Amino acid sequence: MGMVRGVPRTVRLLALGAFLNAVVSFTFVYLFVYLVGPRGLSVTQAGVISGVGGIGLVAGNFTGGWFGDRFGHRRALLTGACVSGAVLVVLPVLPVAALYAVLPVAQYAAGVVRAANAALVAVSVPEGGSRRQSFALFRFAANGGFAVGPPLGALVATRFSYDWLFVADGLGTLLFALYAARILPARGSAHAVPAHDPHAPGLWRELRARPAVVVLLAAIVVVDTVYRQQYSTLPVFLADHGHTAQLYGWLLAINGGVILCLELPAAHALRRRTPLGLVGAGLLLVGLGYAVLIPAAGVLFAVTMMFSLTLGEILYKTPATAYVADQAPGHAQGRFQSLYAGASISGQVLAPPLGAALYAAAPGLLWPVCALLAAAAGVAVLAARRLPGPGERARVAGKGPHAETGSPERAPAG
């Protein structure tokens, strides 16, 4: 297949593992129902437990890359998967009080796995290689698994019990750790423990040398908070305008179906386009999607909104991930990927409370504010193309004509 030509074998095997792991990663979908149902907790208690778990997941994404840079991305992945899997297997037999502590641990470990997976994809592809196609393939596999997982989870819950959801998820995560241990070489590669240089520049110094990366990360936090309104305030908005849950389900199906059909071909077709231009255009499309809901809430408007949101996601997510990988210095690849992973999931914690508060206070302002925030993020990323990178700063400092000349807007050649 031309679309995945040049994608290393290791990335293909990681993508297969991500698909299989995503198929059984359905507990987060049914966690709240499990807590208020079989566990008999109040809505408030279930919300607190789910919330602290979400905070653990975001924290694991933001900090997990440090473990990979310090101890090796392979080791970080395996440790995180083993901790997360082991906790999920025993979670059904734990008392309620223990859930407040162990669920954040499991989610934190899952966040470390997510950051380690991104770093492993990055270090498996030579700089300037097919990083966009590699990240697109990995996202395609994970999204495909998530498309299968929730219906399978519903079958397990109805045919057996909700407890078996956690056991299946935990065992699947442990099997993923075993699979990853087999496919990732333990020695002699970037997957193993990297050479730790105590004299290498720190993370903040490296970020200051790459201001476009800082702008991108801030824009991703903003747009992820906006983007994830589709999972919190959007269904409430649709219900308030007389639509049934069936329409919302179809909108999510459109999102998943379009991503699975178009993301890989788009990554291949646009592989030579400069990444920040694509990311900026994608963020603008996200803003345009929510702007469609400002005049009306009819079915056609809702479907148009979801198409615009989905096309924006396709344009910005893969190029942004690959761009951060291309910009990262070798000794900080894990931390750069971890920052992006955390930014790209921050809306999971920020979107529900912020969106709900605004919708409760001024329902008519929600979509205009979302559209303006996403548009501002897109414009900021487009403007960041003019910011100097480490190569330009070196030349300005007079370090000679042989200083690094990489531009922050370079596109992978693959």
Side-chain angles (χ1 to χ4, degrees):
M1 267 181 43
M3 288 182 289
V4 295
R5 185 178 299 145
V7 175
R9 180 175 180 271
T10 298
V11 174
R12 299 185 191 202
L13 293 174
L14 277 171
L16 175 60
F19 171 79
L20 297 174
N21 192 40
V23 168
V24 296
S25 296
F26 33 54
T27 55
F28 76 96
V29 177
Y30 300 104
L31 175 63
F32 197 89
V33 177
Y34 167 75
L35 293 174
V36 299
R39 282 296 181 124
L41 302 183
S42 68
V43 171
T44 301
Q45 288 176 302
V48 171
I49 292 177
S50 300
V52 295
I55 292 171
L57 179 65
V58 173
N61 276 274
F62 267 119
T63 62
W66 181 88
F67 297 108
D69 286 338
R70 186 66 181 85
F71 303 109
H73 305 302
R74 178 183 186 271
R75 184 175 295 174
L77 175 69
L78 299 183
T79 303
C82 287
V83 170
S84 177
V87 171
L88 288 174
V89 166
V90 302
L91 190 142
V93 300
L94 296 176
V96 169
L99 298 183
Y100 289 91
V102 299
L103 194 59
V105 170
Q107 293 286 70
Y108 181 87
V112 172
V113 170
R114 187 170 182 265
N117 266 322
L120 284 164
V121 173
V123 301
S124 296
V125 184
E127 184 177 356
S130 54
R131 274 185 173 151
R132 286 197 209 172
Q133 292 96 310
S134 296
F135 280 112
L137 176 63
F138 193 87
R139 272 179 47 83
F140 173 82
N143 285 328
F146 283 127
V148 176
L152 179 62
L155 180 64
V156 171
T158 55
R159 292 289 299 272
F160 301 99
S161 74
Y162 279 95
D163 289 341
W164 280 104
L165 289 178
F166 294 91
V167 174
D169 193 344
L171 290 177
T173 304
L174 293 173
L175 288 174
F176 169 71
L178 180 62
Y179 170 82
R182 295 294 301 272
I183 67 169
L184 297 173
R187 298 180 182 276
S189 78
H191 308 139
V193 178
H196 179 62
D197 181 5
H199 303 294
L203 176 63
W204 301 119
R205 180 178 170 187
E206 296 287 12
L207 285 171
R208 285 196 301 270
R210 298 160 175 82
V213 173
V214 177
V215 172
L216 174 65
L217 292 173
I220 294 300
V221 170
V222 171
V223 87
D224 197 62
T225 303
V226 169
Y227 175 82
R228 292 183 190 272
Q229 295 303 318
Q230 66 174 301
Y231 303 121
S232 53
T233 53
L234 178 62
V236 178
F237 170 80
L238 293 174
D240 287 347
H241 286 79
H243 298 295
T244 66
Q246 187 175 15
L247 173 62
Y248 179 63
W250 277 110
L251 292 177
L252 294 185
I254 289 172
N255 176 260
V258 172
I259 288 174
L260 289 176
C261 290
L262 294 185
E263 185 158 22
L264 266 177
H268 178 69
L270 301 173
R271 67 192 183 280
R272 298 190 186 281
R273 298 279 184 173
T274 53
L276 291 185
L278 291 175
V279 173
L283 303 189
L284 291 175
L285 278 174
V286 171
L288 177 63
Y290 284 121
V292 169
L293 294 179
I294 295 173
V299 173
L300 180 60
F301 288 90
V303 170
T304 303
M305 175 276 302
M306 186 55 73
F307 269 110
S308 184
L309 236 63
T310 305
L311 293 177
E313 177 181 358
I314 290 171
L315 278 184
Y316 89 79
K317 287 202 172 181
T318 295
T321 313
Y323 174 77
V324 172
D326 285 342
Q327 287 297 296
H331 67 275
Q333 182 65 258
R335 281 166 288 174
F336 268 59
Q337 282 302 313
S338 196
L339 286 174
Y340 180 79
S344 70
I345 203 172
S346 57
Q348 187 163 316
V349 171
L350 297 175
L354 294 179
L358 179 57
Y359 190 66
L365 284 181
L366 177 62
W367 304 131
V369 168
C370 286
L372 287 174
L373 287 174
V379 170
V381 170
L382 292 174
R385 293 178 295 179
R386 298 180 179 275
L387 293 175
E392 286 82 353
R393 289 174 181 267
R395 289 199 304 278
V396 170
K399 294 187 178 180
H402 301 295
E404 181 187 353
T405 59
S407 162
E409 180 61 356
R410 67 180 182 271

